[in-house]
Amino acid sequence: MPPATPFGHEVTRAKFQTLLSDGEHVTVSVPRVRLTVERVAGAPSTKVLVHEGETCRIGSHPSNDLVLEDATISRFHCRLTREAGAWRLVDAGSTNGTRIEGLKVLTAELEREVVVTLGDSILRISPDGRGEARTVPVVQGFGALVGSSPAMQTLFDMLARVAASDIDVLLQGESGTGKEVVATELVQRSSRADGPLVVVDCGAISPSLVESELFGHVRGAFTGAERDREGAFEAADGGTVFLDEIGELPLELQPKLLRALEAREVRRVGTTKARRVDVRVVAATHRDLEREINRGRFREDLYYRLAKVSVHVPPLRERLEDLPLLVKGFLASMQEDGVAKYFERLFSPAVLADMQGYDWPGNVRELRNFVERSMVLESVPKAGRGSASGSMLAVRTPDVMSVVDRTVPFRIAKERAIEAFERAYLAPVLEECQGNMSKAARTAKMDRMYLHQLAQKHGFRTAKKTDD
């Protein structure tokens, strides 16, 4: 059977692989950043960390890359992440905040060396160091996953190593990035490929039924339990359980899941008899679980039990060079022949350049919808929309209601709608003001610092000078 694809259709691996040229190479360099600790809990320090990798976590918990023994610092205080060729400092919902040269920030792109205050500790961050660059051959996709960008090559390398083991995995990434496809590819390459794969969407099940879905129940355990029923863990015995949107799991059920993961045994609702299970667990979430831990919404011990290996699935805005490849793949999924013809007619270099100037908040899912819409409009001449460029206006100014998904909990749907509104409102304002934050704040009649935070949150570029 052909593998599932990021855009919900079936297409053979061979068709995907022909979209990449044999012998191509990509240059990958390991990001590096220097952190010099000047004070810890108010006392002088000479500690220095030169970190190599995409993410550097800072906090008081021993699992962080930089551990600061300071009672005023949260367990997971903040982190440095490499995005679009720049280092970004992100506060993880800390209690006492993260300050750059005295200014409290939620997220900030670091363009130079800065002094950062965390509680009663001070460190100096030098973001311009880089590790040794190396040239590697392009991997022709990872099953249904495609991409020749450095971000995807890094992901493929990680997945190849993780798939060969039986270790539990946590997939983290924004909605629409294809986490479920990554999970499928991990399963297909594991020793459990012939075993059952059971999917549980923790965000789509009523909280009162989640325990029964995971662990099963016996007859009479609750109103409506008319017969014994096995749960996901029992059904997946010998195979894999995929816990999608694990960040939505109710807090009161998290200890029960933790016990099941540690003991590899489950108890059906309504009985004390334990049943042994042999399962691998792959979990996924679009939430920042470290931030949720700081807020008391997710158990720290469960997080570490799930995240034996944590895999970051990059958003589309971090791999825009993959757009032509993805578009060709979408066209191939909808059409047996004439992919090149449709690609050239619908997606000219100018259209692709326009598409690469958009941040794609819906990620691969949004891109798929756009390509499919362009194909449909092309096939109906009377619609008067004969090219992809003619429908880019719909992408530039998204309908907020189009992101309302009634299959997810109200809180999640509301957050997505608010984020879509923020992007739709701010994008034209910042473009009109040429990134000048003071002018944009006056135009929008809003606080400049709040506008700056929203611009950073959504990845909008701003002018170097924000005052006029």
Side-chain angles (χ1 to χ4, degrees), residues 192-338:
R192 298 174 180 268
D194 295 329
L197 170 61
V198 179
V199 179
V200 180
D201 187 341
C202 300
I205 304 173
S206 169
S208 61
L209 298 177
V210 173
E211 185 175 5
S212 174
E213 286 291 328
L214 291 174
F215 310 128
H217 62 256
V218 297
R219 180 182 178 187
F222 51 83
T223 302
E226 299 177 352
R227 58 182 178 82
D228 290 359
R229 180 180 183 276
E230 68 177 7
F233 276 77
E234 285 186 71
D237 193 24
T240 307
V241 173
F242 177 44
L243 302 178
D244 198 12
E245 295 301 349
I246 188 66
E248 310 308 316
L249 187 70
L251 189 61
E252 61 270 19
L253 287 181
Q254 292 177 21
K256 296 181 179 180
L257 176 59
L258 177 63
R259 286 195 295 270
L261 294 174
E262 290 179 336
R264 282 310 198 254
E265 62 180 29
V266 297
R267 291 179 175 84
R268 293 185 180 182
V269 177
T271 183
T272 58
K273 180 181 178 182
R275 301 168 186 261
R276 296 288 299 177
V277 291
D278 173 25
V279 297
R280 182 190 194 185
V281 177
V282 178
T285 181
H286 75 283
R287 291 196 175 277
D288 183 341
L289 291 188
E290 292 179 358
R291 185 183 298 271
E292 296 297 292
I293 290 171
N294 285 338
R295 293 175 174 174
R297 298 175 183 171
F298 202 84
R299 288 180 63 103
E300 179 181 332
D301 47 5
L302 177 58
Y303 170 71
Y304 283 107
R305 190 60 186 77
L306 289 168
K308 288 183 176 178
V309 172
S310 181
V311 176
H312 170 67
V313 184
L316 185 54
R317 65 178 176 275
E318 291 183 13
R319 58 185 191 106
L320 290 173
E321 58 267 51
D322 288 334
L323 270 175
L325 184 65
L326 289 167
V327 169
K328 288 179 181 179
F330 300 150
L331 293 174
S333 73
M334 295 182 283
Q335 155 100 28
E336 287 298 323
D337 301 305

Side-chain angles (χ1 to χ4, degrees), residues 374-393:
S374 298
M375 281 287 290
V376 170
L377 295 176
E378 166 68 16
S379 64
V380 186
K382 291 183 180 179
R385 306 277 285 279
S387 69
S389 59
S391 55
M392 279 305 291
L393 181 61

